[in-house]
Amino acid sequence: MVQPFTHFESPESKARFASLVEVSGIAEFLVRLAIAPATVEDLLRVHTAEHIERIRTESASKHGGDAGDDYSPFGPGSYEIALLAAGGTAAAVAAVMEGRVRNAYALVRPPGHHAVRETGMGFCMFSNIAVAVQRARVAEPGLRVAVVDFDVHHGNGTQWIYYDDPNTLAISIHQEQLYPVESGLVDERGNGAGHGYTINVPLYAGSGNGTYIAAFEQVVIPALRAFGPDLIVAASGFDAASLDPLGSMTVTSTGFSAMAKMLVELADDLCVGRLVMSHEGGYSPVYVPYCGLAVLEAMSGIDSGVVDPFIDLMPFPAQVTPRPFQLEPILAAVEHVRDLETKLGAHR
Ligand code: ZN
């Protein structure tokens, strides 16, 4: 007998994350933001009319459709849900930009960081982050935005949407040659005026907390300090976590917490605390909630008291002390950070 299973991109990890936010008690200290669906006008600032119309039409059919790569099926009505996801991230950005909250986490689904202008892919229909950022730029056209993507897959959508844009610094830390393959190489650096504003850190499979923290310390922090963003947006995927069925990394809740704290500190130093996290991948229904809660604790400064029940089950050395070879991809990216510092005249 062949037993059926669910698609890895299911609601489970997100629903359980939301439940843990409630059960942990942290929810009562957080501000719940009202959201509205993104509009077609919002989508058109990022995506082609053809892509939007194809998704809308397929979503209206009885059988639903696919985001664009035959691996990303969606059911009827998913267009409206995707509008809510993009609208959720946009609401988070708006609340932070208007100073109603200091930072915000958009727990949205479907994810967005693989969607390019003309198509969806990799379970993503529309680029939630780009839709949110471009709406903010209607009021502030010159808004300087740093996108830090720690999802285990390459943030190809964000990269290509902003490949020519010197006002958007797009950093992606991901597992090399995972998805999309041949994407997110360290020599993909932006084009024209945008050259130098795309930075990729393609890490080897097996990398854990120590390697990710090194990537933040050696790439993310100096790059953002050189760039000087008005807003930091993180593509918050938890598929670099141990126990993830699609990634092969070994990050734990401790590692995600450390990364989030560094982003909070950067935002405090550089842009009056403005930090938005937009949820991306993460396919372990049991572990994503604890990683997500650790990030919310770091962003809010509130300790829920909940202890990660899996942390002692994952004593991989790679979590803590990186092997020298695991740091090689970081060293390559550091060269590009130096170039950015020189270009922008930053003093370290
Ligand atoms: Zn992912």
Side-chain angles (χ1 to χ4, degrees):
M1 171 181 169
V2 178
Q3 295 161 304
F5 194 60
T6 58
H7 195 291
F8 284 119
E9 213 317 285
S10 82
E12 277 299 297
S13 58
K14 274 64 71 171
R16 287 165 179 254
F17 179 9
S19 296
L20 186 59
V21 172
E22 299 293 336
V23 172
S24 69
I26 199 173
E28 63 184 280
F29 300 103
L30 306 180
V31 177
R32 192 178 293 270
L33 298 171
I35 70 163
T39 64
V40 172
E41 187 182 8
D42 289 326
L43 298 184
L44 281 169
R45 293 188 198 104
V46 174
H47 295 287
T48 61
E50 293 75 16
H51 170 49
I52 299 165
E53 184 56 22
R54 184 183 69 77
I55 296 288
R56 193 189 67 76
T57 304
E58 290 185 10
S59 168
S61 78
K62 193 167 65 176
H63 301 295
D66 189 278
D69 58 1
D70 293 335
Y71 281 101
S72 310
F74 60 76
S78 291
Y79 173 70
E80 285 74 18
I81 295 170
L83 294 182
L84 280 173
T89 303
V93 167
V96 166
M97 290 305 299
E98 291 162 14
R100 283 183 278 131
V101 292
R102 191 166 180 83
N103 56 37
Y105 194 101
L107 178 51
V108 295
R109 175 174 183 263
H113 75 147
H114 293 308
V116 295
R117 282 192 186 282
E118 59 278 359
T119 189
M121 59 188 287
F123 318 152
C124 302
M125 296 166 76
F126 303 117
S127 175
N128 301 325
I129 287 176
V131 167
V133 167
Q134 293 310 107
R135 185 197 282 176
R137 282 177 171 157
V138 172
E140 295 188 52
L143 193 72
R144 291 171 70 75
V145 180
V147 180
V148 180
D149 187 324
F150 54 81
D151 187 283
V152 80
H153 304 100
H154 176 223
N156 62 299
T158 319
Q159 169 174 310
W160 294 116
I161 288 165
Y162 290 116
Y163 212 54
D164 299 306
D165 179 11
N167 280 329
T168 307
L169 175 66
I171 302 179
S172 178
I173 302 169
H174 47 270
Q175 183 182 328
E176 55 116 29
Q177 296 296 349
L178 184 60
Y179 181 86
V181 290
E182 298 300 332
S183 182
L185 308 180
V186 76
D187 59 1
E188 293 168 15
R189 303 181 59 189
N191 182 52
H195 184 264
Y197 295 91
T198 291
I199 298 176
N200 284 304
V201 190
L203 299 176
Y204 294 124
S207 298
N209 293 352
T211 308
Y212 272 80
I213 289 168
F216 264 67
E217 289 176 343
Q218 296 177 41
V219 177
V220 173
I221 290 175
L224 263 63
R225 288 195 183 284
F227 179 72
D230 301 313
L231 168 70
I232 300 171
V233 182
S236 175
F238 295 105
D239 37 14
S242 292
L243 305 182
D244 193 274
L246 298 186
S248 304
M249 298 305 205
T250 58
V251 179
T252 67
S253 58
T254 310
F256 288 111
S257 173
M259 291 190 273
K261 281 177 182 159
M262 286 187 264
L263 291 175
V264 168
E265 280 179 23
L266 277 168
D268 285 345
D269 286 353
L270 300 174
C271 46
V272 292
R274 291 170 177 167
L275 169 64
V276 171
M277 298 238 190
S278 188
H279 197 83
E280 298 286 353
Y283 305 99
S284 168
V286 297
Y287 200 41
V288 165
Y290 293 99
C291 296
L293 183 65
V295 165
L296 287 190
E297 289 182 354
M299 292 177 78
S300 64
I302 298 166
D303 180 359
S304 71
V306 171
V307 176
D308 175 353
F310 299 101
I311 198 78
D312 292 334
L313 297 175
M314 299 180 286
F316 306 137
Q319 282 175 8
V320 182
T321 308
R323 298 283 191 268
F325 77 91
Q326 291 177 318
L327 298 175
E328 285 169 17
I330 298 174
L331 298 179
V334 165
E335 294 298 313
H336 301 334
V337 175
R338 297 286 171 268
D339 289 349
L340 187 68
E341 289 171 333
T342 304
K343 186 200 293 262
L344 294 170
H347 301 287
R348 288 186 301 119

